[in-house]
Amino acid sequence: MDDHSQYIESHQKILDTILSEFTEATGLATILVDTQGNELTAGYGFSPFCQLMRNNEDTRQLCQNCDMFGGRSSLRNNVTTPYICHAGLVDFSYPVTIDNQVIGYILCGQTKIADKLEFQPIITEKTYWQNDPISVEAYDNMPFTTPEKIRAGSQLLTIIINYYLSDIMSSHLAIQEPTNVPNQFFTQNQTIPSEEKIPLKHIESTSSDLQKVQTERQEIIDALDYINRHLNEVITLDEVADHVYLSGYYFSKLFKKEIGQNFVDYVNEKKINRSKILLQDSTWSIDSIAHSLGFSQSSYFSKLFKKVTKMSPRDYRQKIQEEAKWN
């Protein structure tokens, strides 16, 4: 094992914490990969769509190739340039160096943005997921990200790594700070398409939640956003109440009043709705789906799924597969 690998392994928890908190703060997915595109940390903020891509043996390698060539492009050109991945999402990357040697790349983004025409694909291969109802549904439920959010995120990430992590690791680890993210990426004329143009099926995005609830309470709006971004984790009422600066007792009453449903039932329903997408992909085992949604026991997930849908996860998957044969 080389010294650089030892640096990474000995500071794994710190790296994971920084990337997860960066994702929490910005809403941008992150992951650290080596120079060949292999994952060095867990992926944070990955949408169900990206999970489908990375857990499918036919498209996982394309994801890794995009990670690798995206990092090499920013290194070669000394500029962080947003690019289009094989599945049509916008990504950008920063080279990570230790003692002036590149050891990997931090990938950020995996997001939809309104105008992709000015961005170039990073590889020639494309994944034609548009004919797959499962992938279309997962893609449609991804929110759009603004250029301003990308810019703020890229600046924040540079500061975190270069001024915080390098001190903790007692080494010369740093993000190579490219000259800039091209100005054309941050034009003020881009507009976000209306949500009516985004069809929703089994699960709703945060925006659709707000339209359905019609609440004017900012605490509840923030709570719904928090829940939507943490469906892959265990979510407690007190945790969300703390996030919106309310007591657990008051938040529970307010949530029920505004949403018309108690907190636990709402969170469970959201998790089950998301699991319906993942169940349609046969490469995901029921155990892995349960764990990916924060359930420590797949038996409890199956019990909850049956309570909500009146059928077991296995029966639901079989039903979907049979319907697909006739369509």
Side-chain angles (χ1 to χ4, degrees):
M1 180 185 298
D2 57 38
D3 292 339
H4 298 157
S5 297
Q6 290 178 347
Y7 274 134
I8 296 298
E9 289 195 4
S10 62
H11 296 87
Q12 188 73 49
K13 288 186 178 179
I14 297 174
L15 284 165
D16 286 338
T17 298
I18 287 176
L19 293 183
S20 65
E21 291 187 353
F22 172 82
T23 293
E24 166 68 18
T26 64
L28 299 173
T30 57
I31 190 171
L32 174 64
V33 302
D34 65 18
T35 54
Q36 301 303 310
N38 300 306
E39 294 86 352
L40 295 176
T41 66
Y44 295 96
F46 280 26
S47 66
F49 179 81
C50 287
Q51 292 180 43
L52 289 172
M53 293 295 110
R54 287 185 178 264
N55 282 277
N56 185 295
E57 60 183 23
D58 294 328
T59 53
R60 177 179 175 81
Q61 186 60 56
L62 292 179
C63 291
Q64 292 179 331
N65 289 346
C66 289
D67 293 346
M68 175 177 64
F69 287 111
R72 290 181 181 179
S73 174
S74 63
L75 180 64
R76 180 179 63 252
N77 300 324
N78 194 37
V79 58
T80 291
T81 306
Y83 58 85
I84 304 299
C85 77
H86 69 97
L89 302 181
V90 176
D91 279 340
F92 64 97
S93 68
Y94 280 105
V96 178
T97 62
I98 294 180
D99 299 326
N100 297 317
Q101 181 173 340
V102 177
I103 57 94
Y105 313 108
I106 291 181
L107 279 299
C108 300
Q110 298 181 347
T111 183
K112 294 194 300 188
I113 199 162
D115 186 4
K116 296 187 297 185
L117 296 179
E118 60 191 81
F119 308 129
Q120 298 297 317
I122 197 64
I123 61 176
T124 57
E125 295 90 345
K126 292 183 180 180
T127 298
Y128 293 97
W129 50 264
Q130 290 84 352
N131 293 326
D132 175 26
I134 304 170
S135 298
V136 169
E137 183 171 10
Y139 180 86
D140 285 348
N141 282 278
M142 295 177 65
F144 282 89
T145 299
T146 65
E148 291 77 15
K149 193 170 185 178
I150 295 289
R151 176 172 54 187
S154 65
Q155 293 171 343
L156 176 62
L157 186 60
T158 301
I159 292 171
I160 290 173
I161 298 298
N162 289 345
Y163 298 101
Y164 176 65
L165 183 58
S166 59
D167 289 340
I168 293 177
M169 294 180 71
S170 300
S171 66
H172 298 95
L173 181 144
I175 285 183
Q176 176 177 318
E177 187 169 1
T179 54
N180 68 298
V181 180
N183 290 332
Q184 66 266 27
F185 185 56
F186 304 118
T187 58
Q188 300 298 315
N189 296 324
Q190 289 174 305
T191 58
I192 304 300
S194 168
E195 288 293 338
E196 282 80 18
K197 297 180 181 179
I198 305 175
L200 304 176
K201 299 178 183 176
H202 292 314
I203 66 174
E204 301 96 18
S205 66
T206 304
S207 299
S208 67
D209 281 334
L210 304 187
Q211 293 171 350
K212 180 176 65 176
V213 172
Q214 296 295 322
T215 180
E216 295 182 357
R217 293 297 299 259
Q218 189 61 46
E219 300 97 330
I220 299 302
I221 293 173
D222 292 343
L224 295 178
D225 176 66
Y226 185 90
I227 292 168
N228 195 67
R229 290 186 288 109
H230 291 79
L231 286 177
N232 62 322
E233 304 169 15
V234 176
I235 307 174
T236 67
L237 184 146
D238 287 340
E239 171 190 348
V240 181
D242 287 343
H243 179 72
V244 297
Y245 306 106
L246 295 176
S247 70
Y249 176 81
Y250 180 71
F251 173 71
S252 177
K253 297 292 186 182
L254 181 63
F255 192 93
K256 178 69 177 292
K257 177 183 177 183
E258 294 292 317
I259 303 301
Q261 188 176 19
N262 71 49
F263 176 83
V264 172
D265 288 345
Y266 177 85
V267 171
N268 285 339
E269 185 177 297
K270 292 288 290 183
K271 286 177 178 282
I272 296 305
N273 284 341
R274 180 160 293 185
S275 75
K276 289 178 180 179
I277 288 180
L278 302 180
L279 280 165
Q280 294 176 64
D281 181 356
S282 59
T283 63
W284 283 67
S285 69
I286 292 174
D287 283 346
S288 65
I289 291 173
H291 292 311
S292 74
L293 290 169
F295 294 100
S296 59
Q297 296 182 336
S298 58
S299 58
Y300 176 70
F301 163 71
S302 296
K303 181 179 180 180
L304 182 63
F305 190 96
K306 189 168 185 177
K307 178 182 177 181
V308 173
T309 67
K310 311 305 180 186
M311 65 178 67
S312 69
R314 193 177 306 278
D315 289 341
Y316 178 84
R317 169 172 278 171
Q318 183 175 353
K319 174 177 176 288
I320 292 299
Q321 291 174 343
E322 289 176 353
E323 289 177 352
K325 292 179 182 178
W326 295 100
N327 293 333

